[in-house]
Structures are given as structure tokens and as C-alpha cells.
């Protein structure tokens, strides 16, 4: 059996691109419905304490105001912790909006004003008076780390650090070359373009159709069903387009709860949209303080790795990441000790943010490795090659595939690394110091259980569907490519439907597993559909395929023909007409192979090279060149995949130089809660980004050899920039972001 070649692996335009640039693509707050009402969230002004009183009388007196929901009058729903848990909830007690008078963090929703018009609701919200009893809060990690603890329960999908091996402390003490440092990563907020919004359409039969900004329509559906005691048939969540998410959309956010609560109570459709300020009351990449000690022989051979991390979590949930595990994964060493602890602060629970754990842990590790290279007088690439490993040492598994050596080689060649003068402050151009740095990137290549459906109609149109999401990554496009190539149709003849809880089962879109998971499910469904078509074609009267086997057939251009005789052919339409069917339907499933998972470790790898130019007098840093060489198995669409790596690199530039959510510990509140003061890279900050996809044969993780590329672009990028800044200036900054005050200081 063969099928049309030439789509998978080729650069194709986004099939949803025209809808997005012309405004036809609708987002959660853009779906209109008759008699829609509007909700405005009132946020707490204190970080910890209790609500002493809420006076909503003035707001309720405003014509057009329907209700002001508070903990005092909310419907009696969701009293049990378990009913609030969602698909990716960490251990602990999930936050329950309007549950009682307790205030757990600054910006917590304390009331919802619902009115006939948005402007009326906003005005009425300004009239609600809330009085508080204030309690002492704690948001400072430097203080709360004194009571850091090991998480008592493991978070699903997050492996705790492996047990120590050898004698790490003794080996470090005896190592001829050693470095030790404390590395700090600031809190970062996701800041997607689209704010969180939910439009809850209350149907006449009491069912709900919800347009939600989410990375998992079925996750939001399950959450609403559990919280409000509804059946899955009574709740449909639709989210065809997501204006960015980066992990913050993995969990249902509080506007969804509030909008549903109001809709059910008022028996009206309700829309709730969060402000940009309120977006800073949601999850974030947690602050982390890491200490790394590396000991090595004079030739750079690692003798000891000690990596400790403490990270913030909320007072009510134990959010966890794999931060330190990467240090024993990237490099061979016989003496390793990795520890990870949590420290509670009075903020909302952190959440996954692009490459959670790796973006934090690898940044510190790769900065320390650069320091070791200078201490040993060894080229940074040579040091990494000296300690290269072919196995996942903690789990004693071989890698399913690993072309990291080729990443180093091809990236270095493209960047011109051989021309680098290793001496700090040795390269300059005019008033700017020039620095070159590099780092390694790594991320998991995962797969999750996913289902898909394929339906072919007699007019030659194919529809494939899956409940997964597209947060801007190109999911629509790659699923269309896979379906078209597998069935032998043009991409124009394929429609992909996703982002709807009524579609075949899919987990949340995250972890870089969507391409492998949903892609394999779609391919499997289309393969099953092909078999049905072939059976119909063989059963036709005087069929030219009557005596052929499935393996002898090629599917191309909407027809089936013998591979060795193109004249022996049957069109899809003719086969379906002869079989008396208007459409052919097939389901497909995908999931990780338990046997292969037990034998192999799957990861994407990268090598990042950065050039910076630092104004010697002002300390202003420009990242003028990035070369990122990535080994990620089969690249389904080089065009959309390149965009993903570029987006990750831009994320890394922000992490390295700009992004920092600043807490006023006196108030317990994020102070730079807007785009004017929370700095993210803009066009003027971005120069040349060169992406190389290194050829990598992968045949163990999934049938198409797919490894996701959504996260790998950010991992190691901040470290490469920090290392380049050291090379340019001779100043080693271990606290990210590296702002000019740190350089000038």
C-alpha cells in the first residue's frame, strides 16, 4: 500500500491563516448571542485576610444591573475539593472563587457584577464597597525558603529528582577544577495576546454552550460538569482559536467559573472577560533559586554535579516542575545529587509556562557549564562533548534517537564559532562589546492518548476531527497535511475540526505532545478509512482491483490504483457509489507504547549560539544573532515548525533580558501588571534568528517519528545569551533577567 507523497515534511501555509488575518476567526469573547449579559470581576486589594463586608446596594440600584455575586449569595455549588480538580491540577486544594470570606492572594476575585451592558457592569462595579480584615502576608522567596519542604505528593507527570549516586560532596571537594554559584530566575507572566474570556450561552433547554479561551475544551467541560453537577451532555465547550496561551490555558481560569455560575443563576447568557491587570492574578512561571556546584578534572571530565532548587508555590496547592533532573540527563557523571523543594507564598498557584522546569533548570545548568569551561580553559562545545552521554542515566535507558552532536557541529558552522576569541572583552565594534555564547537545549518528546475521526463524503471532501487545540502552533495545518497525504487527497479537500468538547477525546494541548498524539490519531483514522475504501473498490462489479491486495494499492488524487499498473484504478466516489454509501467514517487512536517507553527515553535536543552587543557605557544589550540547531525527529511542516522555534527564541530573549513580574512585598501585589511596565521583546529587539533542523531518524516514539517543537526553542536560549554577555563584558550575571542595572553595577 502506498499513498500520495510530498505533503508531510514540506513547508505549507497555515490553513487557518486567511481566517485569522481577515478577522473571520472568532475568539472566546467574540461569539455573540441574543440577550447577552456582561460580567465584571471585582478583585481583592489585599494579599491575605478576610472580607469584613461587601456593600453592593449602590451597584444594584443602577438600572440594568442584574445581580452582584459574592461569597454571601452565590449558589451552593462546588463544596468539595475533588469537584474543582482539573486535568492538570497539582496536589492540594484548588482555589474556589467566591467560596468564603477568606482572601488568599492579591487580585483574588471577590465579586462579579452582571448587567445588561458592559458599560453598565463596569460602572456598577466601581460602586461596590469591600472592607477587609488584613492579615500578614508573605510573598518573599528569600524569607519563605527558610521553611522550604519536599512536596509530600508527586504531581502527575512530573518526576521527582532521582536518588543520589556516588559521593557528590566528596568528589566535589577533591575536584581540581570547580565552580559554584547561585542562580535566580524571576517570576514571569505569560501575557498572551488574547485575555481570558468565557461566553456562556444559556440554551432554552438549560444546557450550556461555552466559548472559552482554553488549551483543552474537554478539560473545561469536565471542570464545569463536576463543579456545577451537570452531565457532560449538558455542557459543550468550543474553542476553535486561541490567541496564545503558553501553558496558562491548561487549567480553567476563574472567569469560566464565574460566567457559568451567573448564567445558571440568571438563566441568561453571560460573558466575562478579564482585564490585562487581572491577567496578572493568574498563574505564572514561578520564581526559583538554584545552587549548582560542578567539579571536574583539568580536561573537563565532570566528577561531581550538585544541583539544588527551591521554587515558589501557593499556600493551597503544591505546584511542581522538573527543574534539577536535566542536570543528570544532559551530561555523564558518576557523582550526582539533585534536590528540589517548595516554598509557600501568598500568591495564586504558579502554572506551566513554555518548557516548564527545563527553561528554568537548564538555564542555570548551562550557565554553570559555561563557567566551568572558562575555569578549565576549555572551549564550551568541547566541554559538552567531553561529557556527552548516549543514555538517560537516571533511568538507565537508551535514547530513542539523539543527534545533539550534529546540532553542535552544524550550529557552530553556521554561526562561525571557530572564529571566536575565547578571551572575555576581546571582541568589540565601536563603542559596543561583542560576545559569543552557546548552550544546550533539551525537552521531552512525549505522547498522550488521543482519538480522532475521519469522514469522507462522496463528493471527495474529507473531514478529520479531534478535540485538541491550536494555540497558534499550526495544529490545523499539520493535521490537514497528515490527513491529505494519508488518504491521497489535496489539502484543499480536507477540513480539520478541533477545539470542541463534542469531538473525539484529546488531552489538553501542552507539553509539545500534540503533533505526535493528535497527528498519529488522525493518521490511524485515515488508514482505517483507506481500508474501508479499498474493500468497497474490490467489491465493485468487474473491479480492476478485485484480485489485488491492500499492500499493492496506491492512494493518490482521490483514487486507488495498483502501484505497478496506474491504469487499474477506481475513484473514491465510484467505490462509494457502488457500495451504496454516501460517506465512509473511521476512528483512530494513539498513545505511547508501554514497551518502548520502558526501554527508551525520548527527547528533543538543540544547540543555541548567540551573539550580543553591549554598549560599554550604557549597558544596553542587543541580541544581534541567534542560531538554533534543533534535532526533533520528523519535521511535519518546516514553515510552521520554524515559527515555533523562532517564537521560543523570542521567549528566551525576553527571559534573558526583559521579563520580570515584580512583587511589592509590602503589598503582596505584582506592580508592573500591564504591557507598559512588564517588558516583553518587541520587533525592535529582534534581529537575526536562524533555525536549523538537524536530520534525525526516529522510529520508536510513534509511527511518524514526530517530536514536538513548541517548547525546545526557549530551552537554553537565555543561558546562551547570558554566556555571550559574559564573553562580551567579563561580568558573570547569575540573575535573570540580565538588566542594564546589573551590568552597570
Amino acid at each position: 500500500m502506498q499513498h500520495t507523497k510530498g505533503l508531510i515534511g514540506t513547508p505549507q501555509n497555515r490553513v487557518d491563516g486567511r481566517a485569522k488575518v481577515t478577522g473571520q476567526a472568532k475568539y472566546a469573547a467574540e461569539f455573540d448571542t441574543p440577550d447577552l449579559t456582561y460580567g465584571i470581576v471585582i478583585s481583592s486589594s489585599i494579599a491575605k485576610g478576610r472580607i469584613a463586608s461587601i456593600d453592593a446596594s449602590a451597584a444594584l440600584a443602577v438600572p440594568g444591573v442584574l445581580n452582584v455575586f459574592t461569597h454571601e449569595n452565590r449558589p451552593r455549588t462546588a463544596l468539595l475539593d475533588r469537584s474543582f480538580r482539573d486535568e492538570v491540577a497539582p496536589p492540594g486544594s484548588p482555589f474556589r472563587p467566591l467560596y468564603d470570606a477568606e482572601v488568599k492572594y492579591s487580585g483574588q476575585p471577590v465579586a462579579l457584577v452582571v448587567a445588561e451592558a458592559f458599560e453598565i457592569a463596569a460602572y456598577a462595579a466601581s460602586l461596590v464597597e469591600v472592607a477587609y480584615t488584613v492579615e500578614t502576608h508573605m510573598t518573599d522567596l528569600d524569607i519563605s525558603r527558610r521553611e522550604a519542604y519536599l512536596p509530600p505528593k508527586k504531581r502527575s507527570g512530573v518526576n521527582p529528582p532521582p536518588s543520589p549516586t556516588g559521593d557528590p560532596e566528596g568528589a566535589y571537594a577533591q575536584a581540581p577544577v570547580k565552580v559554584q554559584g547561585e542562580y535566580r530566575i524571576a517570576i514571569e507572566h505569560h501575557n498572551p495576546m488574547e485575555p481570558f474570556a468565557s461566553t456562556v450561552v444559556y440554551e432554552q433547554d438549560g444546557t450550556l454552550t461555552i466559548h472559552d479561551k482554553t488549551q483543552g475544551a474537554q478539560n473545561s467541560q469536565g471542570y464545569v460538569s463536576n463543579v456545577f453537577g451537570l452531565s457532560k451532555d449538558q455542557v459543550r465547550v468550543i474553542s476553535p482559536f486561541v490567541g496564545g496561551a503558553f501553558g496558562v490555558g491548561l487549567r480553567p481560569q476563574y472567569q469560566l467559573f464565574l460566567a457559568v455560575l451567573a448564567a445558571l443563576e440568571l438563566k441568561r447568557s453571560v460573558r466575562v472577560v478579564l482585564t490585562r491587570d487581572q491577567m496578572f492574578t493568574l498563574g505564572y512561571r514561578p520564581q526559583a533559586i538554584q545552587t549548582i556546584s560542578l567539579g571536574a578534572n583539568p580536561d573537563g571530565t565532570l566528577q561531581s554535579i550538585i544541583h539544588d532548587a527551591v521554587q515558589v508555590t501557593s499556600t493551597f496547592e503544591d505546584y511542581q516542575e522538573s527543574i534539577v533532573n536535566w542536570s543528570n540527563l544532559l551530561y555523564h557523571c558518576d557523582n550526582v545529587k539533585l534536590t528540589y523543594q517548595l516554598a509557600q507564598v501568598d500568591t495564586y498557584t504558579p502554572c506551566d509556562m513554555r518548557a516548564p522546569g527545563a527553561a528554568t533548570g537548564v538555564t542555570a545548568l548551562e550557565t554553570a557549564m559555561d563557567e566551568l569551561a572558562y575555569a578549565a580553559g576549555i572551549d564550551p562545545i568541547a566541554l559538552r562533548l567531553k561529557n556527552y552521554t548516549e543514555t538517560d542515566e537516571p533511568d538507565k535507558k537508551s535514547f530513542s534517537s539523539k543527534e545533539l552532536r550534529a546540532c553542535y557541529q552544524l550550529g557552530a558552522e553556521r554561526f562561525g564559532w571557530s572564529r571566536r576569541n575565547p578571551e572575555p572583552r576581546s571582541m568589540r565594534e565601536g563603542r559596543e562589546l561583542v560576545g559569543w555564547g552557546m548552550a544546550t537545549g533539551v525537552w521531552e518528546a512525549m505522547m498522550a492518548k488521543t482519538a480522532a475521526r475521519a469522514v469522507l463524503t462522496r463528493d471527495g471532501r474529507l473531514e478529520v476531527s479531534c478535540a485538541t487545540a491550536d494555540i497558534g502552533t499550526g495544529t490545523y495545518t499539520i493535521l490537514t497535511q497528515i490527513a491529505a497525504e494519508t488518504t491521497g487527497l489535496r489539502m484543499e479537500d480536507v477540513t480539520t475540526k478541533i477545539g470542541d468538547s463534542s469531538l473525539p477525546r484529546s488531552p489538553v494541548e501542552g507539553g509539545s505532545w500534540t503533533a505526535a498524539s493528535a497527528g498519529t490519531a488522525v493518521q490511524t483514522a485515515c488508514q482505517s478509512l483507506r481500508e474501508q475504501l479499498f474493500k468497497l473498490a474490490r467489491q465493485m462489479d468487474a473491479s480492476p482491483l478485485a484480485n489485488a491486495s491492500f499492500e499493492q494499492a496506491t492512494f493518490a488524487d482521490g483514487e486507488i490504483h495498483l502501484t505497478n499498473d496506474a491504469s487499474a484504478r477506481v475513484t473514491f466516489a465510484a467505490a462509494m457509489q457502488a457500495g451504496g454509501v454516501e460517506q465512509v467514517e473511521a476512528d483512530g487512536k494513539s498513545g505511547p507504547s508501554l514497551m518502548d517507553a520502558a526501554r527508551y527515553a525520548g527527547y528533543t535536543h538543540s544547540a543555541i549560539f548567540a551573539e550580543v552587543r553591549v554598549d560599554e557605557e550604557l549597558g544596553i544589550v542587543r541580541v544581534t544573532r541567534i542560531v538554533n540547531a534543533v534535532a526533533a525527529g520528523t519535521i511535519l511542516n518546516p514553515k510552521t515548525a520554524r515559527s515555533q522555534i523562532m517564537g521560543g527564541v523570542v521567549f528566551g530573549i525576553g527571559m534573558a533580558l526583559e521579563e520580570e513580574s515584580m512583587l511589592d512585598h509590602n503589598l503582596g501585589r505584582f506592580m508592573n501588571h500591564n504591557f507598559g511596565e512588564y517588558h516583553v521583546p518587541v520587533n525592535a529587539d529582534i534581529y537575526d534568528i536562524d533555525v536549523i533542523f538537524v536530520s534525525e531518524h526516529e522510529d520508536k516514539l510513534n509511527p511518524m517519528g514526530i517530536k514536538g517543537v513548541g517548547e525546545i526553542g526557549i530551552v537554553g536560549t537565555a543561558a546562551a545569551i547570558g554566556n555571550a554577555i559574559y564573553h562580551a563584558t567579563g561580568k558573570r550575571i547569575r540573575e535573570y533577567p540580565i538588566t542594564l542595572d546589573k551590568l552597570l553595577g
Side-chain angles (χ1 to χ4, degrees):
M1 181 282 306
Q2 295 184 14
H3 51 81
T4 301
K5 297 291 185 182
L7 290 176
I8 294 177
T10 62
Q12 300 290 332
N13 292 335
R14 291 173 182 262
V15 298
D16 55 332
R18 179 175 291 275
K20 286 184 174 179
V21 300
T22 58
Q24 297 177 52
K26 285 191 174 183
Y27 296 83
E30 296 180 324
F31 287 89
D32 290 323
T33 187
D35 300 320
L36 181 65
T37 65
Y38 299 83
I40 294 291
V41 178
I42 299 176
S43 306
S44 70
S45 60
I46 67 169
K48 187 176 183 180
R50 296 185 65 82
I51 300 171
S53 65
I54 296 183
D55 184 357
S57 57
L60 290 168
V62 175
V65 172
L66 301 175
N67 205 340
V68 178
F69 293 95
T70 71
H71 69 282
E72 297 175 340
N73 68 348
R74 65 151 176 83
R76 303 291 293 175
T77 57
L79 298 181
L80 300 177
D81 280 359
R82 62 180 176 81
S83 70
F84 257 77
R85 297 193 68 78
D86 59 84
E87 195 174 305
V88 296
S93 175
F95 171 68
R96 291 170 280 181
L98 308 189
Y99 180 65
D100 56 24
E102 184 179 3
V103 175
K104 297 178 181 290
Y105 63 93
S106 182
Q108 173 180 318
V110 296
L112 177 73
V113 179
V114 184
E116 297 284 0
F118 173 81
E119 293 81 3
I120 295 173
Y123 170 66
S126 70
L127 303 178
V128 176
E129 297 182 358
V130 186
Y132 302 95
T133 300
V134 180
E135 299 175 11
T136 302
H137 63 264
M138 172 53 62
T139 56
D140 192 336
L141 177 56
D142 281 299
I143 297 174
S144 60
R145 69 187 291 195
R146 299 168 191 168
E147 298 181 5
Y149 58 92
L150 292 172
K153 290 185 179 180
K154 170 184 172 292
R155 181 188 174 197
S156 177
V158 176
N159 294 324
S163 300
T165 59
D167 178 15
E169 288 86 357
Y172 178 77
Q174 297 176 18
V177 182
K178 61 187 72 174
V179 297
Q180 184 180 66
E182 182 180 89
Y183 305 87
R184 291 173 173 255
I185 309 293
I187 290 175
E188 300 171 58
H189 274 84
H190 301 66
N191 282 306
M193 185 74 75
E194 180 195 14
F196 276 92
S198 298
T199 301
V200 179
V201 181
Y202 187 89
E203 309 288 0
Q204 290 185 349
D205 60 359
T207 60
L208 303 178
T209 300
I210 303 173
H211 302 281
D212 190 38
K213 185 223 171 78
T214 177
Q215 290 175 249
Q218 289 174 334
N219 191 28
S220 290
Q221 178 199 39
Y223 172 85
V224 170
S225 298
N226 291 335
V227 167
F228 293 96
L230 303 173
S231 69
K232 294 281 183 74
D233 292 336
Q234 293 176 287
V235 181
R236 182 185 179 190
V237 177
I238 302 172
S239 182
F241 299 100
V242 182
F246 318 119
V248 72
L250 293 174
R251 303 188 69 179
Q253 300 297 351
Y254 60 75
Q255 92 290 336
L256 174 61
F257 171 89
L258 296 174
V260 172
L261 180 148
L264 291 173
E265 185 71 7
L266 298 172
K267 294 182 172 51
R268 293 279 300 272
S269 298
V270 180
R271 173 179 295 158
V272 179
V273 182
L274 298 188
T275 65
R276 183 58 58 181
D277 173 83
Q278 289 167 339
M279 293 291 287
F280 281 82
T281 67
L282 305 177
Y284 50 85
R285 192 193 300 283
Q287 182 183 6
I289 300 175
Q290 304 173 73
T291 302
I292 297 182
S293 303
L294 301 179
N297 289 339
D299 65 355
T301 303
L302 282 167
Q303 295 301 306
S304 175
I305 298 176
I306 303 174
H307 189 170
D308 305 315
V310 60
Q311 189 176 37
V312 297
T313 189
S314 68
T315 58
F316 47 91
E317 288 180 304
D318 281 346
Y319 174 80
Q320 301 162 41
E321 295 181 345
S322 292
I323 291 182
V324 297
N325 305 39
W326 312 98
S327 292
N328 199 194
L329 176 77
L330 274 176
Y331 304 112
H332 170 75
C333 185
D334 294 327
N335 305 288
V336 179
K337 181 181 179 182
L338 311 174
T339 62
Y340 174 68
Q341 292 181 301
L342 297 178
Q344 292 183 334
V345 293
D346 292 310
T347 66
Y348 190 72
T349 306
C351 70
D352 295 323
M353 184 174 183
R354 203 167 196 161
T360 301
V362 173
T363 294
L365 172 66
E366 288 300 286
T367 305
M369 284 292 286
D370 196 65
E371 294 186 49
L372 183 64
Y374 279 99
I378 298 173
D379 181 85
I381 298 176
L383 176 67
R384 288 161 173 80
L385 291 173
K386 186 72 176 179
N387 296 285
Y388 196 90
T389 178
E390 297 289 357
T391 61
D392 178 352
E393 299 195 9
D395 290 337
K396 304 296 188 291
K397 297 178 184 178
S398 298
F399 292 109
S400 61
S401 58
K402 184 179 180 181
E403 292 295 341
L404 180 55
R405 290 183 188 274
C407 292
Y408 290 140
Q409 177 188 343
L410 296 176
E413 290 174 356
R414 182 75 62 87
F415 188 81
W417 186 259
S418 61
R419 302 193 303 273
R420 172 180 179 265
N421 184 333
E423 188 69 25
R425 297 183 69 90
S426 62
M427 299 167 60
R428 66 168 60 235
E429 186 172 313
R431 60 186 290 169
E432 290 183 313
L433 301 169
V434 179
W436 289 3
M438 61 83 55
T440 307
V442 61
W443 181 250
E444 299 169 279
M446 297 180 283
M447 197 172 180
K449 290 183 179 180
T450 304
R453 182 174 297 120
V455 180
L456 179 69
T457 52
R458 197 184 288 186
D459 60 0
R461 297 290 306 176
L462 175 68
E463 178 183 285
V464 292
S465 59
C466 174
T468 190
D470 188 335
I471 61 173
T473 52
T475 304
Y476 277 106
T477 307
I478 60 170
L479 295 186
T480 301
Q481 287 179 260
I482 292 169
E485 177 165 316
T486 305
T487 53
L489 292 169
R490 301 177 307 164
M491 288 182 64
E492 300 92 309
D493 297 324
V494 179
T495 299
T496 297
K497 288 190 174 181
I498 57 178
D500 187 331
S501 64
S502 66
L503 299 178
R505 180 69 190 167
S506 171
V508 293
E509 194 272 10
S512 292
W513 64 45
T514 299
S517 306
T520 300
V522 165
Q523 185 188 58
T524 303
C526 291
Q527 288 171 338
S528 179
L529 187 144
R530 271 198 327 234
E531 293 172 3
Q532 294 184 49
L533 279 174
F534 184 73
K535 184 177 180 180
L536 291 172
R538 286 191 63 189
Q539 293 172 346
M540 293 174 60
D541 293 338
S543 171
L545 307 178
N547 298 318
S549 67
F550 185 67
E551 289 70 24
Q552 294 174 312
T554 291
F555 290 70
D557 302 321
E559 62 183 24
I560 312 167
H561 65 78
L562 293 178
T563 303
N564 296 325
D565 182 4
S567 65
R569 65 181 63 212
V570 174
T571 66
F572 294 171
M576 294 169 70
Q577 182 176 5
V581 297
E582 291 296 323
Q583 66 180 40
V584 179
E585 180 176 327
D587 292 327
K589 294 182 179 180
S590 69
S593 166
L594 296 180
M595 182 178 297
D596 285 342
R599 296 169 56 193
Y600 299 103
Y603 293 91
T604 55
H605 293 89
S606 65
I608 309 100
F609 297 82
E611 176 184 88
V612 301
R613 293 170 183 260
V614 183
D615 188 298
E616 189 171 15
E617 296 180 3
L618 301 178
I620 296 172
V621 179
R622 296 189 299 135
V623 181
T624 47
R625 278 198 303 144
I626 293 277
V627 173
N628 197 331
V630 181
T634 300
I635 303 301
L636 296 171
N637 184 333
K639 189 172 186 176
T640 56
R642 179 175 180 270
S643 293
Q644 284 303 291
I645 301 302
M646 291 180 67
V649 168
V650 172
F651 240 77
I653 293 172
M655 184 179 187
L657 302 178
E658 300 182 43
E659 295 197 49
E660 180 178 11
S661 300
M662 298 181 178
L663 271 165
D664 183 321
H665 297 306
N666 292 319
L667 298 175
R669 186 175 183 85
F670 292 109
M671 301 308 293
N672 55 333
H673 44 77
N674 54 66
F675 280 156
E677 295 174 306
Y678 182 95
H679 295 165
V680 296
V682 297
N683 286 351
D685 298 318
I686 305 304
Y687 292 81
D688 183 31
I689 300 175
D690 191 0
V691 179
I692 303 170
F693 287 115
V694 175
S695 177
E696 182 176 63
H697 177 68
E698 171 59 61
D699 59 3
K700 301 175 179 66
L701 297 180
N702 53 73
M704 285 185 283
I706 302 169
K707 295 179 177 181
V709 296
E711 331 258 348
I712 186 65
I714 187 177
V715 183
T717 297
I721 294 169
N723 295 338
I725 289 173
Y726 173 76
H727 180 235
T729 66
K731 289 187 176 182
R732 179 66 68 180
I733 310 297
R734 301 189 180 97
E735 183 176 355
Y736 291 85
I738 301 175
T739 48
L740 58 85
D741 57 306
K742 295 165 188 170
L743 281 172
L744 293 176

